Amino acid sequence: MAAAEDLFEGPATGPPLPVYSSRALYRSEAEGPEVRHVGGYASFVGFCARHGEDAASLAADPVRLLEFLRANTAALLAEPELGNAAEVFTGNTVVAQRPDAQWRSVEGGITEAGDHEMSLVVQGLVERLHAADVNQFAESLATIRGWAESDPEPLPRFEEHDANLPQPVPFPAGWKPYVRPDLPVEVYRDADGAEISYGIRWGDEEAASDSYSVTSNTERFGGLHTVADSLIEHLASTYAASIRDVTAETTARMRGQVRVLRAVRVDPASPDAAPLVFTFTDFPGILLHSGLLHSTPFPSCGCDACDETLDSEAAGLEQHVLAVAAGGFAERYPLGQHRRAEYQLVRVDGSGWEGGGGEPSHDYPEAQLSEAERTLKLLPNGWQPWPLRQQ
């Protein structure tokens, strides 16, 4: 590695492999080592020197660095490779501010730098700085300054056998278990006529760089609508629960983010059991809302790079729904000064658990957040299993 790329902690590496941001996002050893120093910024170090700036000083001060970038966006945009080097340098600078910060790549090829309190999207940073008005830039500086100067807020971590994890109740003997409906098997081919082996198309290699922005043959996920309908039918026939159409209110809340075909809410009869809302989208896919403040999309991304399959996404949807009904879902809100929401999901089949947290989406109005806080306070033992329908 060039000597110019020794300004940050440890040896420079490549960017991290993508993970699904909407899934379980407490870091585990299985996810691989954290990335705190990404290479590819040597040309920006030289740029700093030519402009009379000490790169090492900028690396220690993210506010000064952003001001320097803002003053030189035209030159950086004129040379895309230099602009990219500047963005990598900025990501490293952000990570260096806190011991718990790291680089993270999520679906769609988006790379971020930061921690659970603040994360900076690295790609396109120079262009965003160039386009920002004075007030927007001042707000960005204030956010970075406040984050860098404040003490990190501890992030609760959960272990596999943590007593705080929800404990799903196994499906009772004598009841008809859920069975996935038959789904059509479709064959898709590339431009050369070769069959596309979704799920294994990249093998052990990294996905093609241009595949992150491509969503081809998305109709392969259409079977998720069939699976969702089957799950709703299973819930209605097994548990004491009511079903109602909530398409209008869901469409209004989504504010055009996706086209909602229909939305179905399933409410268990017990007030201490978590409800579910199945939103059928035209991607096609399912956005599953669990409890009060947690939504999971299926597929998680759908881009060619992520290489998801109908089978894998159907399994994830089924595991999530059945875990909620069995009492394997928990959520907490608000946590810490940033009032984060957090969830955990323990699968009924014993295949593992997942969890995640972050500030609630802006789609939730303040009144709904306040109601969620009140409701969760009335659940000292968390969400419970759904009551069974009387046979």
Side-chain angles (χ1 to χ4, degrees):
M1 188 59 62
E5 297 198 348
D6 61 359
L7 295 177
F8 301 97
E9 172 190 343
T13 67
L17 295 176
V19 297
Y20 296 141
S21 64
S22 60
R23 296 285 179 92
L25 312 186
Y26 287 107
R27 186 173 138 47
S28 68
E29 294 305 316
E31 294 171 20
E34 67 179 23
V35 175
R36 289 183 52 84
H37 183 188
V38 172
Y41 57 88
S43 61
F44 179 70
V45 174
F47 179 84
C48 294
R50 293 193 299 275
H51 286 73
E53 279 287 353
D54 176 40
S57 297
L58 293 179
D61 190 339
V63 172
R64 274 193 59 213
L65 172 59
L66 290 177
E67 291 173 336
F68 178 71
L69 294 179
R70 166 86 162 181
N72 292 279
T73 53
L76 296 172
L77 289 172
E79 298 184 53
E81 290 188 5
L82 177 61
N84 181 67
E87 291 170 351
V88 172
F89 185 96
T90 305
N92 287 330
T93 298
V94 168
V95 169
Q97 303 309 303
R98 286 193 172 186
D100 59 334
Q102 60 180 291
W103 284 80
R104 186 177 67 143
S105 292
V106 298
E107 64 264 25
I110 299 172
T111 305
E112 304 173 342
D115 64 4
H116 65 281
E117 292 183 43
M118 193 285 300
S119 193
L120 176 75
V121 176
V122 175
Q123 285 102 327
L125 173 62
V126 173
E127 187 172 349
R128 294 198 304 275
L129 290 174
H130 181 74
D133 61 31
V134 173
N135 290 334
Q136 290 170 332
F137 182 60
E139 184 177 343
S140 297
L141 290 185
T143 298
I144 291 289
R145 181 184 290 110
W147 174 79
E149 293 179 353
S150 64
D151 293 330
E153 186 179 332
L155 175 65
R157 291 180 181 266
F158 294 84
E159 304 299 334
E160 183 177 357
H161 302 294
D162 193 323
N164 292 324
L165 284 174
Q167 302 299 318
V169 175
F171 197 74
W175 286 79
K176 182 180 178 181
Y178 167 80
V179 177
R180 182 184 301 176
D182 291 333
L183 299 175
V185 178
E186 303 287 348
V187 175
Y188 299 95
R189 300 185 183 278
D190 62 21
D192 297 324
E195 182 177 343
I196 301 173
S197 300
Y198 283 111
I200 57 172
R201 65 186 308 190
W202 306 117
D204 294 329
E205 303 295 325
E206 288 190 20
S209 59
D210 60 355
S211 64
Y212 287 96
S213 58
V214 177
T215 54
S216 62
N217 299 319
T218 57
E219 63 271 20
R220 71 185 189 274
F221 297 116
L224 288 173
H225 289 181
T226 303
V227 171
D229 279 326
S230 180
L231 285 164
I232 293 170
E233 182 180 348
H234 169 76
L235 294 174
S237 62
T238 305
Y239 299 96
S242 61
I243 299 174
R244 61 188 175 96
D245 182 277
V246 290
T247 303
E249 49 263 55
T250 301
T251 301
R253 183 175 63 82
M254 294 297 294
R255 301 176 186 173
Q257 295 172 13
V258 295
R259 182 167 172 244
V260 175
L261 302 179
R262 60 190 174 98
V264 178
R265 182 182 176 98
V266 186
D267 282 294
S270 174
D272 62 356
L276 289 166
V277 177
F278 297 77
T279 300
F280 295 69
T281 72
D282 69 341
F283 183 77
I286 295 292
L287 181 63
L288 181 69
H289 187 81
S290 309
L292 302 175
L293 298 174
H294 178 64
S295 293
T296 304
F298 298 90
S300 298
C301 175
C303 79
D304 286 7
C306 290
D307 198 29
E308 296 135 310
T309 68
L310 171 59
D311 183 69
S312 67
E313 296 307 296
L317 175 61
E318 292 163 344
Q319 288 172 345
H320 196 118
V321 169
L322 298 177
V324 171
F329 174 74
E331 61 183 328
R332 295 189 290 183
Y333 173 81
L335 297 174
Q337 62 179 349
H338 293 276
R339 297 177 67 80
R340 298 190 317 277
E342 174 190 83
Y343 85 96
Q344 299 95 42
L345 184 85
V346 178
R347 302 185 188 107
V348 185
D349 62 7
S351 62
W353 67 278
E354 61 186 59
E359 294 184 47
S361 166
H362 295 300
D363 291 336
Y364 296 110
E366 191 60 40
Q368 188 172 349
L369 294 175
S370 298
E371 179 62 27
E373 182 176 0
R374 286 193 294 270
T375 299
L376 292 174
K377 283 182 179 178
L378 297 175
L379 299 173
N381 298 316
W383 293 118
Q384 297 299 300
W386 287 24
L388 292 168
R389 183 176 296 279
Q390 291 188 1
Q391 289 183 311

